[in-house]
Each structure stands twice: as C-alpha cells, then as structure tokens.
C-alpha cells in the first residue's frame, strides 16, 4: 500500500522560507557608504571608538532602511535612532558607575519596556528592540568616552544614513515633484492590475492582500506629507491636491474591483490593463491613453467602469477641484495624530500595560535578564554578546521562535567563519572597515531571510569588536550564541509567555471588531450617503486583518502551537476577510439599486460578529453570549448577504472551540 507523503510541519519548514523581493540597489549603495567608511575614518584618525559607535548607529539605522518615501524613511529610521541613542546613554551610564550585577535588573526593566512596546506597531517595535540592543552594548563594550558622547556618536551614525537616504536614492521619475508619493500611488494601480488579472483564479485572495498592502503604504505616505504640512503651517500645493484626488479615485476603483474579485469570474485582459495605464501616467506625467470600453453586464462591472471613468477625469484635470489645505495653525489633534504616526497605529487593548503588552514585555525581560546573568557568571569581560543575541531572538513580532533560533545560530556560525577567513586573507589595520562595508551593503538585500540578515550583522559587529580591541572574540561568539539560543527557546516556550490566545487572539479580536464596524456601516448607511467614511472603515478593517493574519501565520509556525487549546486562527481570519469582501460587494450592489436589508437583519449580522469577538476576547462570555439564529435569510437582490451569513456561521464554529 502506497502511503501519501506527509506534509512537512510548519515549524520545521519555516526556517527555509525565502522572500522574493527586488534588489534595492539604492539601499545597497547607502549600506556600503555607512558603517565601513565611518569605521575606517575612526581607524585612520587613531580614534577607533568613535568609528565603532558611529558605525554601530549606521548599522542599526540600516536595518530600518526599507523602501518608501523620504518622509516615511524619516519616520522609520528617525524614531529608532532616538531610541538607540537613549539606550546607549543608559547602558554607558551603567558601565560608568560600575553597576556590576545591578545590570541584570536594569536590563530586565529596559527589556520589559522594549517588549511591551512591540504591540503598538512596527516602528515602535523596532525602536524598542534597538534601544535594548544599544543598552546591552553600552553596558558591556569597553569603549572610552562619556555616556552622553557615546550616545551622540550613535545618533550621528544614524543621522549619517538618514542623510544618505535623502541623497542616494533611486532615479526620480519623469513626472516632476512628489516622486515618492506618486510612486506609492502608482504601485496601488499596479497592484490593482495584478488583482484584476488574477480574478477567478487561485491567486485572487493573495493578489487582493497585496492590493490592500499597497493601499496602506500609499495612504501612509500621503498622510505623513499632509501632517507635515499642517505642523509646518504650509499651504498644500496644487500638485499635492491633485495627487490626493487621484488617490481617492484609486480607492474608489479598488472598492469596485473588490466586488469584481468577489464575483470570481476571469476578466478580459483589457480590463486589467487599464489601471496599469494610470500607473504609467503617474510615473511619466503623460496621459493614460485609451482605456477599456464600458460594460454593464453586472452591477460590479458597472461600478468598476464608472470608477474607471471618474479616475480618467481625475487624471485629465491639471488643476485640483478643491482649494483645501491653506496654511493654518496646527491644532492639538494634528500634533497628536503626527505623534501616533511616528510610532505606528496604536489600538485599544494594545497599550504598554495591556494583556498582550505585559506578556510580550515579560517574555523579553526574562530572556534578557537570564542571558545577562549567565553571561556575567561565565565571564566578566565581553559578556554583552549573549544578551545582545537574545535581544534579536526573543522579539515576538520577528517570526516564529524556533525558526529565528535556528537561523540565528546558522547565520552567526557562517558570519564568524567568513570573518575569520577574511582575517586570514587580509592584512593591516584597515580590513575590519572593509568587512563592515561589505556587511552594510549586504544588509538591505538580506531582509529576504533571517539567517542572511544575521550573517550581515555578525560581520559588522565582529568588525566593530575587533577594531575596539577584542582580537579573539570570534570563537566566544559561537559559544555565546548557542547559550542564548537555548535560553530563548526555554523561556520563550513557558506556558504563560507563549500563549497564542493572548498574543494572537487580541489581534484577531481587533480585526473582527473592525470588520463588524465596516459591515454595520454598509448595512445601515442611508442611500446616497457619502462613501468617504465607508472606504476609511474598509481600509481599517483590511489593515487590522492583515496584522491578524501575520500574527496567526507566526503562531501556526511555532514549535508548540497548542492547537488543541486554541482556535484555528488562520481560518477565522480568512473567513473575516471574505466577510469584508462580501460586504464591499454588497455595498456596490446597494449603490446600484439593490434592496437594502431591514434594520433587524442588519443588526443580527452585526451582533453575530460582535458576539464572536467577545467570545475570543473573554472565553467566559461564551456560555452567556446568545448564539445568532441559524435562519439568516437572504435579502432579495443582495445575494452576497447570504455568503456573509455563511461565513458568520463558519467563524462561530471556530470561535466556540477551545
């Protein structure tokens, strides 16, 4: 009897996953001009310590040097840069006062803040991780200088890369100003074209998720530019207003396209080609040319053609239709919105002392404190590598713990071997700067895989350590990395600190509540109402679902996923995504004359989603929460509500398990 081959477990397959991304050549050039030249300048002038610190700062900034506009680059690099300088100030102060074993509780406190901040968004998460790393390095690396001077050197290294980010970048498109923001909006049209081409095929859902991610990036880029203008009391230019109108046209076109995707029918190639013409027009400044001929075979197709016509009108205009954006004093809410934008999107229940924040914080704090204590027991000098390794391993939002541990060890081993080989082949005092430059150039490319990223960071850090005077550090690094991996695996799988119901369930609950708000608005909005709020709620729902999916995929690939005690998170998220798709299709049908559901029917559907979110948030509510009636009758001429009801039933089956 031939047995079917068993699928490889997700926790075992994840370490071998490789992201396919384009090579960011501009970032590669910036990386080559950062840590290596700065370290080389310090060696050449006979002051290696400033070179090491500035190189360290540029390396940490290079980790955050991702594609985006100049303003998003300032946010994503600038806030972690300030956190890195603060961490160096704290760590160097501990070293100056001779804290000794008091370093352990100090690192516990900094680790808790770092881990708890991870729940607030990716920017704050990176800032917390780098603050913790520089605190460890500042407390352990034996470099001369006052604490404030060390912090300024680290900040200077970060600012050097930020300056290069503003100077060394990809060629500017031919369309004129607003290159970064226009490119972000053009990417939306490209993603839309790809989604339409995938309609009716197996890749339709993945294409829709890529479209949602492109919308989020473009929205962030335009929002940051708008907030900058408000804070500086600057009048919006006609080009900015025109781009905002074209992005609004793109958003309306995407909404109609989701309805087409929901119909799951293959579309003619000319339909998918039309959005790509808008993308080319944004990049070149030329007219979009001929678009697909209109067709009204279905309400979704009619809505798409109408949105396509509106987009063509928006691109034909050379002057904006609105004069909003005049200079005015920045009100307090604008300042608060800007501060939230700097740190990522914070949501209720995801604060520093919320359930998820406490769990994340304790997990990081215990690992870092245990690593520091073991390192101090093993050796008095150069003890910092062990807790520094744990810093990059234990962060819960960087992927499954087992996968990170395996890749960290493999990457460290490869980096040590490459560095040792370079030391045998190269001579003189300058060669660590050359190795650091090579690692900096590799770093932007290395985001494809955690092991490759570890290789790049290991090469750079060993170069800094070697230039700082530790000539025999390479062998110790392998031993320390092995111990850190064991500590993180043990502590990271403690039952309370690794419970996915608290870590993942919070994001899934938030996504379900965002889905319920969007569904309620669609079903209860008055006919002919402004669609601005509806589109904002839809983007918020998709954004929350994207975060929930990422957390669910990470939990599914953990070594101890505890699936017997937890819902199938990915199934819940997938069902909620289909509900948002169905609600979007329903909204398009309602806009084109379909019968609106009764208030009782709408309330039953929305309460069902709210009840499921309550059940996931607090398991004790399951016995007290009324289950929605199974007889959820379809509404005439709005068949998508039947699918919404079916998906609600599907979610209920999973939300009630555990």
């Amino acid at each position: 009897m031939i047995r079917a081959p068993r699928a490889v477990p997700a926790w075992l397959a994840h370490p071998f996953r490789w992201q396919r991304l384009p090579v960011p050549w501009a970032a590669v050039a910036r990386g080559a001009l950062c840590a290596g030249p700065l370290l080389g300048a310090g060696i050449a002038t006979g002051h290696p310590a400033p070179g090491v610190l500035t190189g360290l700062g540029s390396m940490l900034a290079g980790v955050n040097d991702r594609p985006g506009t100049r303003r998003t680059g300032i946010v994503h690099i600038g806030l972690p840069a300030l956190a890195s300088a603060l961490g160096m100030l704290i760590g160097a102060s501990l070293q100056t006062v001779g804290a000794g074993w008091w370093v352990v509780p100090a690192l516990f406190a900094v680790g808790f803040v770092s881990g708890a901040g991870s729940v607030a968004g990716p920017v704050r998460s990176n800032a917390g991780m780098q603050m913790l790393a520089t605190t460890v390095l500042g407390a352990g690396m034996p470099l001369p200088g006052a604490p404030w001077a060390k912090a300024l050197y680290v900040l200077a290294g970060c600012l050097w890369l930020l300056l290069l980010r503003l100077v060394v970048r990809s060629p500017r498109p031919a369309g004129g100003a607003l290159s970064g923001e226009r490119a972000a909006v053009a990417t939306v049209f490209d993603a839309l074209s790809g989604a339409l081409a995938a309609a009716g095929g197996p890749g339709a859902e993945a294409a829709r998720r890529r479209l949602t991610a492109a919308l989020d990036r473009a929205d962030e880029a335009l929002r940051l530019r708008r907030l900058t203008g408000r804070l500086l009391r600057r009048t919006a230019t006609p080009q900015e207003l025109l781009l905002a109108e074209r992005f609004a046209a793109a958003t309306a076109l995407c909404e109609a396209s989701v309805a087409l995707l929901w119909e799951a029918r293959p579309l003619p190639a000319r339909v998918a080609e039309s959005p790509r013409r808008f993308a080319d027009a944004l990049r070149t400044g030329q007219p979009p040319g001929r678009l697909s001929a209109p067709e009204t075979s279905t309400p979704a197709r009619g809505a798409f053609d109408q949105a396509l016509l509106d987009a063509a009108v928006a691109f034909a205009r050379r002057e904006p239709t609105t004069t909003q954006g005049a200079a005015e004093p920045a009100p307090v809410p604008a300042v608060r919105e800007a501060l939230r934008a700097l740190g990522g999107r914070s949501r209720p229940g995801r604060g520093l002392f919320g359930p998820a924040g406490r769990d994340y914080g304790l997990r990081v704090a215990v690992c870092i404190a245990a690593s520091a204590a073991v390192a101090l027991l093993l050796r008095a000098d150069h003890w910092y590598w062990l807790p520094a390794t744990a810093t990059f391993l234990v962060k819960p939002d960087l992927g499954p713990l087992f996968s990170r541990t395996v890749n960290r060890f493999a990457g460290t081993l490869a980096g040590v071997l490459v560095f040792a080989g370079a030391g045998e082949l190269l001579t003189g005092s300058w060669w660590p700067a050359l190795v650091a430059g090579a690692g900096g150039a590799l770093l932007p490319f290395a985001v494809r895989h955690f092991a490759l990223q570890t290789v790049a960071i290991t090469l750079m850090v060993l170069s800094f350590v070697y230039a700082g005077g530790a000539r025999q550090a390479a062998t110790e690094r392998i031993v320390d990395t092995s111990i850190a991996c064991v500590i993180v695996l043990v502590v990271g799988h403690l039952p309370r600190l690794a419970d996915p119901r608290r870590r993942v369930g919070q994001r899934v609950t938030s996504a379900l509540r965002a889905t319920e708000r969007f569904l309620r608005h669609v079903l209860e909005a008055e006919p002919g109402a402004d669609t601005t709020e509806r589109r904002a709620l839809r983007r918020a729902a998709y954004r929350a679902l994207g975060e929930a999916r990422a957390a669910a995929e990470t939990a599914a690939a953990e070594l101890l996923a505890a699936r017997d005690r937890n819902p199938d998170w990915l199934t819940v998220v997938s069902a909620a995504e289909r509900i948002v798709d169905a609600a979007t299709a329903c909204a398009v049908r309602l806009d084109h004359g379909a019968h609106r559901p009764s208030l009782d029917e709408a309330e039953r559907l929305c309460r069902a989603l709210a009840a499921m979110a309550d059940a996931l948030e607090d398991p004790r509510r399951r016995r007290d929460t009324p289950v929605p009636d199974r007889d959820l009758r379809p509404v005439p001429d709005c068949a998508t509500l039947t699918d919404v009801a079916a998906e609600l039933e599907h979610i209920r089956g999973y939300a009630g398990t555990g």
Side-chain angles (χ1 to χ4, degrees), residues 581-644:
D581 290 346
T584 302
C586 179
V588 171
R589 294 175 66 91
L590 292 175
D591 288 344
H592 286 72
H595 292 291
R596 188 166 296 276
S598 67
L599 292 179
D600 290 340
E601 181 75 20
E603 183 62 27
R604 290 170 67 195
L605 289 171
C606 296
R607 275 193 304 180
L609 264 180
M612 292 163 199
D614 291 341
L616 287 175
E617 189 174 45
D618 187 355
R620 292 172 298 181
R621 297 185 188 179
R622 292 197 181 104
R623 298 187 180 91
D624 303 328
T625 302
V627 178
D629 188 1
R630 289 181 177 272
D631 184 20
L632 295 173
R633 295 178 299 277
V635 178
D637 297 326
C638 198
T640 52
L641 284 179
T642 306
D643 301 298
V644 173

Side-chain angles (χ1 to χ4, degrees), residues 162-241:
L162 191 57
L163 176 63
L164 290 176
R165 173 68 184 255
L166 301 177
V167 176
V168 181
R169 48 185 176 164
S170 302
R172 181 187 294 270
L178 305 174
S179 59
E181 288 80 4
R182 284 191 305 105
V185 178
T187 303
V188 172
F189 285 107
D190 283 333
L192 175 57
S193 178
L196 293 173
E205 286 195 14
R208 197 265 302 146
R209 295 187 196 110
R210 290 192 293 270
L211 173 60
T212 301
L215 275 168
D216 288 342
R217 289 192 294 269
D219 181 59
E220 180 187 26
L222 294 179
R223 182 167 50 90
L224 284 175
R225 191 175 189 97
R226 184 171 61 252
L227 285 172
T228 302
R230 292 174 65 187
L231 291 174
L232 298 178
R233 305 181 184 183
R234 181 181 60 82
T235 303
T237 65
Q239 290 80 9
E240 291 174 339
L241 296 176

